[in-house]
Amino acid sequence: MPQLGETVTEGTILRWAKKVGEAIAEDEVLVEISTDKVDTEIPSPVSGTILQILVDEGETVAVGANLVVIGEAGEATAEPAAPPTDESVEEPAAPEEPSAPEEPTEPAPQPAPVAATTPASAPTPTEMHPASETPEGGPDSGFAMTAEPTDEEIDAFFAEPAATGSELLSPVVRRLVREHQVDLSKITGTGQGGRITRKDVETYLASAPAPAPAPVETPQPAPVETAPTPAAPAAEPAAAAAPESPATLVGEEVDLDRIRVRIAENMARAKQTAAHVWTSVEVDFERVERVRQAHRESFKRDEGFPLTYLPFISRATIDALKAYPVVNSSFKLDEKKAVFHKKVDLGIAIDLNQGGLVVARVRNADGLRLVGIAREIRDLADRARANKLTLDDLSGSTFTITNPGPFGSFLSAPIINVPNVAILSTETVTKRPTVITTPDGQDMIAIRHIGYLGLSWDHRAFDGSTAVLFLQRIKENLETWEWEQELA
């Protein structure tokens, strides 16, 4: 499993392009892998013959794990390795044959003593038995018990994959097992050597019957011969049963696609990691708007796309990041360190036509002027919506900007793109009446193009004064810079 990005630690096999026994050329597509960043096709590093596939489709493994064995062209496949695996699975079945004849001999000699010893072997009320010892007709939860299990007993039970022949479980499979308290002995592994895969667990969960609700015990009134009104207690079971019937859910259940699952996992992880705080400022975009209007037609004619507010905001933000380098850093609490980045690799959140969201990187953005930034952002957006971004495009940003303004947003509090320590949100710019001060010091009401900038920042990395000063620097740049020079 290759290292597909700086922060990527594992990958999921989506599709093998070749089968065992097929020939493959160097740089020909070998496998498609999904990570928390993107799905990508991996080329073969060598030419030869596929001898053995070690990781099945749907399995998740850590970076560095062996995926496939490729031999010389024409070399025989590793089919002989399969029989030992089957034999090792079938071998435990051999001792079960001699135990079969013992069943009819058990009740034959002395049926009476068997009945006498049954109560003696019954578990005491405080005993707990693993699922393998659960008597017939016992619970399906994995434990037969009359007392609540301790956390240690539950962990010990779920930490015994050897009982199922699946010693190697991926982190995803272990999480599913713990979340749903799955009894691994009830699942047949379809992975290499009988290993249980994520598909096996999901198939089991989908097909497993829902647990029957516990019966509601209705207290029976004591028989009183003199009471002539038994009808009143008879109505109680109907009233008690009413809450037991769940409300019918109206709607269509659909499977989540991979990008939505990745977004959900990353957003939840970011919220649990960074100490999110939000700060905002109001910005007068009048100076920017006048330059945009003056160059609108010529810019579109020369570049092929319109000149928006985003390049202006990006350019002003890059300058502020240089003035406040802690905002352009990464925070590593576990190592008790902070990494101050020497350059600005600007991350831009790109909407995939309501089909997901990715953050693409403008490399060395601090070395670009306004037009160069506009070109880079446009190129990334076009390639993202055409599904042509590379892993390098989607990793390594040091600060991120998200741009919901074109959709009509007023104020947004975005989630930080960890390991960044802050993310800037650009909101809609609209005409509003506001108070301005003229050069001679007079206050007056004027119609101006007003918008807001919101900053979600990690309070672990810096404090509120830095966040406000950083936003004020962006505001000052947007309101005072001679933007004509940037377009010259």
Side-chain angles (χ1 to χ4, degrees):
M1 176 63 66
Q3 178 79 47
L4 301 175
E6 181 181 354
T7 60
V8 175
T9 59
E10 63 181 16
T12 300
I13 303 301
L14 297 181
R15 178 183 63 88
W16 285 104
K18 296 290 184 178
K19 298 179 181 179
V20 173
E22 292 185 348
I24 188 167
E26 184 177 356
D27 292 331
E28 186 178 0
V29 174
L30 173 63
V31 61
E32 184 178 1
I33 296 176
S34 174
T35 70
D36 59 356
K37 298 291 185 184
V38 71
D39 298 345
T40 186
E41 293 180 337
I42 303 299
S44 174
V46 295
S47 298
T49 302
I50 306 297
L51 300 183
Q52 191 176 8
I53 291 177
L54 304 177
V55 181
D56 292 336
E57 294 179 357
E59 288 195 55
T60 300
V61 293
V63 168
N66 292 330
L67 303 181
V68 63
V69 178
I70 302 177
E72 297 292 339
E75 185 175 343
T77 62
E79 292 177 356
T85 303
D86 295 336
E87 289 174 9
S88 64
V89 175
E90 295 173 0
E91 279 177 4
E96 296 179 3
E97 292 179 342
S99 64
E102 294 178 6
E103 294 182 358
T105 60
E106 246 183 323
Q110 294 181 353
V114 172
T117 58
T118 301
S121 62
T124 63
T126 58
E127 282 183 298
M128 178 185 298
H129 301 274
S132 59
E133 299 177 5
T134 304
E136 193 170 345
D140 294 331
S141 63
F143 292 100
M145 59 186 176
T146 55
E148 288 292 327
T150 65
D151 292 339
E152 291 78 8
E153 290 167 328
I154 293 176
D155 288 339
F157 175 76
F158 285 112
E160 294 179 357
T164 66
S166 303
E167 291 82 354
L168 299 175
L169 296 180
S170 70
V172 175
V173 173
R174 291 186 183 277
R175 187 184 71 236
L176 288 173
V177 168
R178 287 185 178 275
E179 287 179 354
H180 299 279
Q181 295 190 0
V182 176
D183 181 358
L184 292 176
S185 64
K186 298 181 180 294
I187 302 177
T188 301
T190 61
Q192 187 75 19
R195 181 167 43 179
I196 293 176
T197 67
R198 180 176 62 179
K199 283 186 178 180
D200 297 331
V201 178
E202 291 174 344
T203 301
Y204 171 79
L205 293 175
S207 61
V216 179
E217 296 184 3
T218 304
Q220 299 294 330
V224 180
E225 295 181 359
T226 57
T229 58
E236 292 181 6
E244 293 298 321
S245 57
T248 301
L249 298 177
V250 179
E252 179 184 2
E253 186 177 88
V254 297
D255 293 331
L256 298 176
D257 57 26
R258 287 192 302 274
I259 191 170
R260 180 50 54 190
V261 172
R262 296 299 188 193
I263 291 173
E265 292 173 346
N266 290 342
M267 295 299 99
R269 187 183 304 115
K271 286 290 287 185
Q272 293 169 0
T273 301
H276 279 67
V277 185
W278 182 77
T279 306
S280 66
V281 293
E282 183 181 81
V283 179
D284 185 343
F285 283 91
E286 192 65 26
R287 185 183 290 265
V288 172
E289 177 62 19
R290 290 174 182 173
V291 173
R292 284 182 67 241
Q293 292 300 330
H295 293 268
R296 170 174 291 185
E297 294 183 2
S298 61
F299 185 90
K300 189 171 184 179
R301 181 181 63 251
D302 296 340
E303 302 295 335
F305 58 90
L307 180 61
T308 66
Y309 288 102
L310 184 56
F312 293 88
I313 297 172
S314 299
R315 181 71 181 85
T317 299
I318 292 167
D319 173 79
L321 289 171
K322 289 295 186 179
Y324 297 92
V326 68
V327 188
N328 190 49
S329 68
S330 297
F331 190 80
K332 298 183 178 181
L333 181 61
D334 54 340
E335 301 178 19
K336 297 183 179 179
K337 294 180 180 179
V339 179
F340 286 72
H341 303 290
K342 295 181 179 180
K343 60 180 181 177
V344 177
D345 283 340
L346 190 64
I348 301 294
I350 301 173
D351 173 67
L352 303 179
N353 298 320
Q354 292 77 60
L357 188 73
V358 295
V359 175
R361 175 177 60 146
V362 177
R363 300 179 188 84
N364 301 317
D366 48 334
L368 300 174
R369 292 170 65 85
L370 188 145
V371 176
I373 293 173
R375 290 170 182 164
E376 289 291 326
I377 293 175
R378 180 68 179 201
D379 175 66
L380 290 172
D382 289 343
R383 289 195 288 125
R385 289 162 188 149
N387 197 27
K388 293 183 179 180
L389 291 177
T390 66
L391 276 171
D392 194 46
D393 294 324
L394 295 170
S395 59
S397 66
T398 61
F399 182 86
T400 303
I401 296 178
T402 182
N403 185 36
F407 299 98
S409 65
F410 176 66
L411 289 172
S412 304
I415 297 175
I416 299 170
N417 182 32
V418 175
N420 296 173
V421 295
I423 181 172
L424 184 73
S425 176
T426 68
E427 313 299 341
T428 301
V429 178
T430 59
K431 293 180 182 179
R432 292 178 187 159
T434 188
V435 176
I436 63 171
T437 302
T438 62
D440 59 356
Q442 297 296 318
D443 291 338
M444 62 178 294
I445 296 177
I447 305 298
R448 312 283 281 194
H449 287 80
I450 303 296
Y452 295 89
L453 299 177
L455 183 74
S456 290
W457 50 280
D458 188 347
H459 209 326
R460 302 176 306 160
F462 54 88
D463 304 316
S465 59
T466 303
V468 175
L469 289 172
F470 173 73
L471 281 176
Q472 288 292 344
R473 179 62 175 257
I474 300 174
K475 170 185 171 72
E476 180 183 358
N477 292 344
L478 290 168
E479 293 179 347
T480 62
W481 273 8
E482 293 296 335
W483 291 106
E484 283 283 354
Q485 298 178 3
E486 289 283 332
L487 291 170

